[in-house]
Amino acid sequence: MISFLSKSALLAALLWVAMENPAAAYTSRTWLAVPVDNNWNNDSNWSGGSAPDTISEGAVFATSTILNPTFTADTVFGGGSFIFTGTGIVFQPGADAFVIAINGHTVQVNNGIVNNSSVAETINNDGANGLLVLAGGSIDGPVTIINSGANTETRFINGIQGGIVRLINANPTAAFHFFLGGGSSITVGSIEGNGSITLDGTFVSVGSNNLSTVFSGVISDGSQPGGSLTKIGTGSLVLSGINTYTGNTTVSSGALYINGSIASPLTTVNQAGLLGGTGVIGGGVLNRGIVSPGMSPGKLTIQGDYTQTGSGVLRVEVAGAKAGQFDQLSVQGAASLNGGLQIVKVGKPKLERGDRLTIVTANGGVVGRFSEIDSGFGTNTILTLDVVYESNAVLLESTQGSFEQFARQQHLSPNEISVAEALDSAATDPRADKLFQFLDRRNLSKLAGDFDRIAPEELTSVFGIGVALANVQSGNIQRRNEDIRSGTRGFSAAGLGVNGSSPSYSGSFSFGSGMAGPNGNDDGKEVKETKQEIPEENRWGAFLSGTGEWVSVGNTDNARGYDLTSGGFTLGIDYKVTPNFAIGLAAGYTGTTADLVDRGRVYVNGGKIGLYATFFQNEQAAQAPTTSKDSSKDSSKEAPAPAPSIAKGFYADMAVFGGYNSYDTRRSALQGEARGDTDGGELNALFGAGYDFKKGGFTFGPTASFNYTYIGTNEFTEHGSLAPLNIHGGKGESLRTAFGLKASYDWKIGGILIQPEIRAAWQHEYGDAAYALDASFANGAGNSFLVNGPQLGRDSALLGAGFAIQCSERCSTYFYYDGELGRKNYESNSVTGGLRVTF
């Protein structure tokens, strides 16, 4: 405690003079612009040649070459005490930033300090044992008073108001002392530093300059108990010392942080105020504003009761689930709850399911509930913090949020929602803990992508592969049956007739005159007979074809597409059982690669074997027969040339093929690449019909076909990702019809027959428009879920074009293009080439 006994008599005498001389005239002395030195008490530095050193004189400062006036003697000045209105120190507008040094002396300023300048002015109570007495008036404008010397003290007496003065104890033995009398009040701008502040029954309001400061010293009662502290303004005040004043504490506005302790019996937080810190509050707390324990984060202890009204909010900051990573309010008495609970994220909290954070403890019990929970915790993860009330505590429990609810709220795709539902069903299964530890920490913005990586819709491409190849195979078989029906297309019988006539390329044979017959009758006339030569028909045939196909399946909102590349061959042999019916056997191999999203792949190796058959009728217009000459007559008559004719006929094609496929899968999955392998079978059935019209070398007519394809896969389990799946055995079915036209022309060039052909048809799909797969997590947790591949259109145009070249009577080659175009999200292009023989 500072001792000023040697100066007490002087102060008392000066105050007595002030009161006994009320008629003294008030004058001001101005610090010169160019003073001699910085000595306050040097008369040569002031206007009028006299330093202000009486109670009837004040000091005025403007601009000067010397900005650090320093007292060299004990001085009392500044106005006529209780009678005069003069001001002790005035800083004029535009004044420089002065620093007035007390220099260890006793200085009393009556009627306060006025700073009209735009800069903060400073009075430095420096030097050991300096005493600054502010007696009456007020301190207006930005003024800073610093107690920087050892045992220095600044006293406020006679009802002075502090205005927005900034009070700084820069020495641990420095002190501010309020001698205003019990029940008096004073407002100061801010307090900071250390040392001590004595209230002596004064009600002190702090914070009017809106600065944020820290005071680590001690605020005490002094000789009069009951002094109080009220926090005002928008700034914050941190009290980190052991404060013993016994009056109440009020946080009217701004923030008050108790990191040390206060002994107030009641601390009230008004609606515009915030109370926080890591220290101890000796009494009870009434919260009408915000109580925020800790200093991001920490624990605040209340030794009395805690009462939160409907307008109050308990703000809890959470940086993690470990001790010291979240705010705690420790109440030694009872906690009566109402109002709101606000949960605030600090940094990037890493919470796990089941974490329990005790945010309130109350030895006297917990009464009531928070009426409103602010859910803006903002973890941006699927985890939620639920409030749990116990008899003596309030906890935050980290619980698993609903993936399905999130997916629906975000309007995610059906596949993603399906995965989210499966995740919810696995949430309590310990076998999925590793997966949930990852997902629970994921930013919500990344969950949709995670769902997509878990969903195996890319693997529905295996069904698309089978159906696409079945379409090409059906076209090849129908063309082969057409060759059989034509008879000579590729298997020419030209030149086999003895008379040099050739069978037509439509498969019908022409008849010409034969060689001369034997002599005939009794009248001795020579008769020539016609003789028919019928060439031998080749009943056996074989073909070998190679096919390449390229399919593109587009993206949809539910699933991303893929590209297929296939190559293979088919070998067949057939036999013409009757002139109008043939049956054959064919087998083949196909290898396919499906290019999936994010460099995924499906490799397929498949073999097929099956039967095919064709039945047909040929209706040829009758030709007028040729007539031989009669030797008994002088002249002969020949039949007129036959009229042009159109051949026509109905036909029907049938085929049934079965196959075996092996699949090797690789897809981009969650935290890795999921691999697997399986196999399966397929069945393809074809029924086609048409009607051919033939005129000369031109063939045309309508076509119709019915195709059924079944693709089945066996169950398999993936490996190599955070969420490998068990892919259940699945199936895909296609039921499609096609109606169209075809046309071809037999074009003979020398000894070679070239047959160009075009086809067009409209196809409609009655089966699956989107192939589906059932899957579940490989670890067995949760329910199965269904995903669908891209949605495909049902209608498409089938276009075909190509040509065959008959190289010899028994051999031909061919090349055809087939396309499936105009179908929504689907396009197929294929080329087929091969060789046909007959024997």
Side-chain angles (χ1 to χ4, degrees), residues 542-545 569-573 585-589 608 610 612 657 835:
F543 71 93
L544 174 65
S545 66
F569 66 89
T570 302
L571 176 65
I573 187 169
L585 175 68
Y589 162 82
K608 300 176 180 62
Y612 59 95
F657 278 79
L835 175 70

Side-chain angles (χ1 to χ4, degrees), residues 86-100:
T87 301
I89 299 176
V90 175
F91 297 94
Q92 292 185 344
D96 293 319
F98 286 87
V99 178
I100 299 174

Side-chain angles (χ1 to χ4, degrees), residues 340-678:
L341 172 64
Q342 184 180 29
I343 307 169
V344 179
K345 175 184 69 174
V346 177
K348 297 180 179 179
K350 294 183 178 180
L351 303 180
E352 297 182 359
R353 285 183 301 161
D355 287 340
R356 290 168 63 87
L357 290 65
T358 303
I359 59 172
V360 177
T361 59
N363 293 342
V366 174
V367 179
R369 297 289 188 269
F370 296 109
S371 59
E372 183 178 354
I373 308 296
D374 185 348
S375 59
F377 175 54
T379 62
N380 290 324
T381 70
I382 197 65
L383 292 179
T384 61
L385 287 178
D386 293 339
V387 181
V388 178
Y389 297 92
E390 297 182 350
S391 59
N392 293 92
V394 179
L395 300 91
L396 297 178
E397 184 173 13
S398 178
T399 59
Q400 184 71 57
S402 171
F403 289 103
E404 178 191 358
Q405 183 179 4
F406 166 79
R408 294 188 184 279
Q409 288 174 345
Q410 298 299 312
H411 305 291
L412 300 186
S413 69
N415 283 349
E416 292 164 341
I417 292 174
S418 184
V419 170
E421 291 173 343
L423 288 170
D424 283 350
S425 69
T428 58
D429 195 318
R431 291 175 292 182
D433 282 350
K434 188 175 181 181
L435 171 60
F436 280 88
Q437 286 173 1
F438 173 81
L439 292 175
D440 288 345
R441 294 179 179 179
R442 293 287 277 177
N443 189 289
L444 290 175
S445 63
K446 297 181 179 179
L447 283 183
D450 293 338
F451 298 161
D452 190 55
R453 287 181 175 86
I454 293 174
E457 73 266 11
E458 305 102 309
L459 301 185
T460 61
S461 58
V462 300
F463 305 120
I465 293 170
V467 174
L469 293 174
N471 258 352
V472 176
Q473 183 187 54
S474 295
N476 290 337
I477 293 299
Q478 285 178 298
R479 285 196 176 99
R480 174 56 189 155
N481 285 339
E482 185 178 351
D483 294 332
I484 295 173
R485 292 192 299 271
S486 66
T488 58
R489 240 174 249 151
F491 319 108
S492 174
L496 294 181
V498 175
N499 64 355
S501 298
S502 299
S504 72
Y505 286 100
S506 65
S508 61
F509 293 88
S510 63
F511 299 90
S513 58
M515 298 180 66
N519 291 334
N521 48 27
D522 294 340
D523 59 9
K525 293 180 179 179
E526 182 177 293
V527 178
K528 290 184 178 180
E529 297 178 351
T530 60
K531 187 174 183 180
Q532 179 175 315
E533 298 289 342
I534 302 176
E536 181 182 358
E537 184 176 11
N538 298 314
R539 291 176 176 263
W540 289 96
F543 71 93
L544 174 65
S545 66
T547 299
E549 185 179 22
W550 299 267
V551 176
S552 177
V553 176
N555 297 327
T556 66
D557 292 338
N558 190 42
R560 287 183 281 185
Y562 47 85
D563 294 320
L564 308 178
T565 302
S566 301
F569 66 89
T570 302
L571 176 65
I573 187 169
D574 43 65
Y575 180 74
K576 206 167 185 180
V577 179
T578 71
N580 298 101
F581 176 70
I583 189 169
L585 175 68
Y589 162 82
T590 303
T592 302
T593 299
D595 293 323
L596 311 180
V597 66
D598 294 332
R599 295 176 295 181
R601 295 284 189 277
V602 175
Y603 300 99
V604 186
N605 291 290
K608 300 176 180 62
I609 189 169
L611 299 173
Y612 59 95
T614 183
F615 170 79
F616 56 98
Q617 293 177 333
N618 282 332
E619 299 179 12
Q620 180 85 23
Q623 295 182 1
T626 58
T627 305
S628 63
K629 288 184 179 181
D630 188 341
S631 61
S632 66
K633 295 183 179 179
D634 295 335
S635 62
S636 65
K637 294 182 180 180
E638 294 183 358
S645 63
I646 297 179
K648 53 187 178 180
F650 167 80
Y651 63 87
D653 297 324
M654 292 153 286
V656 178
F657 278 79
Y660 169 83
N661 301 307
S662 66
Y663 303 94
D664 183 75
T665 66
R666 184 183 78 194
R667 67 184 183 91
S668 176
L670 190 65
Q671 292 293 290
E673 188 176 70
R675 292 177 175 269
D677 59 84
T678 187

Side-chain angles (χ1 to χ4, degrees), residues 743-834:
S744 62
Y745 184 75
D746 293 342
W747 183 19
K748 190 171 183 181
I749 303 177
I752 298 177
L753 177 67
I754 300 176
Q755 184 191 33
E757 174 188 298
I758 59 172
R759 294 171 180 257
W762 167 72
Q763 178 175 273
H764 183 77
E765 175 67 73
Y766 296 91
D768 295 329
Y771 302 112
L773 271 179
D774 263 318
S776 58
F777 295 112
N779 56 28
N783 300 330
S784 298
F785 59 95
L786 180 73
V787 295
N788 288 278
Q791 185 78 20
L792 307 179
R794 293 191 175 275
D795 294 293
S796 57
L798 303 181
L799 301 178
F803 58 88
I805 301 176
Q806 181 178 337
C807 306
S808 68
E809 296 174 351
R810 298 179 182 272
C811 178
S812 68
T813 61
Y814 56 89
F815 180 88
Y816 296 109
Y817 160 81
D818 289 286
E820 183 175 351
L821 309 175
R823 186 178 184 184
K824 181 180 179 181
N825 290 328
Y826 186 93
E827 182 177 304
S828 171
N829 295 278
S830 66
V831 293
T832 302

Side-chain angles (χ1 to χ4, degrees), residues 52 63 76 125 177 241 258 265 275 313 408 455 469 479 489 542 670 685 706 722 738 815:
T63 60
V76 177
N125 193 357
H177 201 147
I258 308 300
L275 174 66
V313 172
R408 294 188 184 279
L469 293 174
R479 285 196 176 99
R489 240 174 249 151
L670 190 65
F706 167 87
L722 183 60
F815 180 88

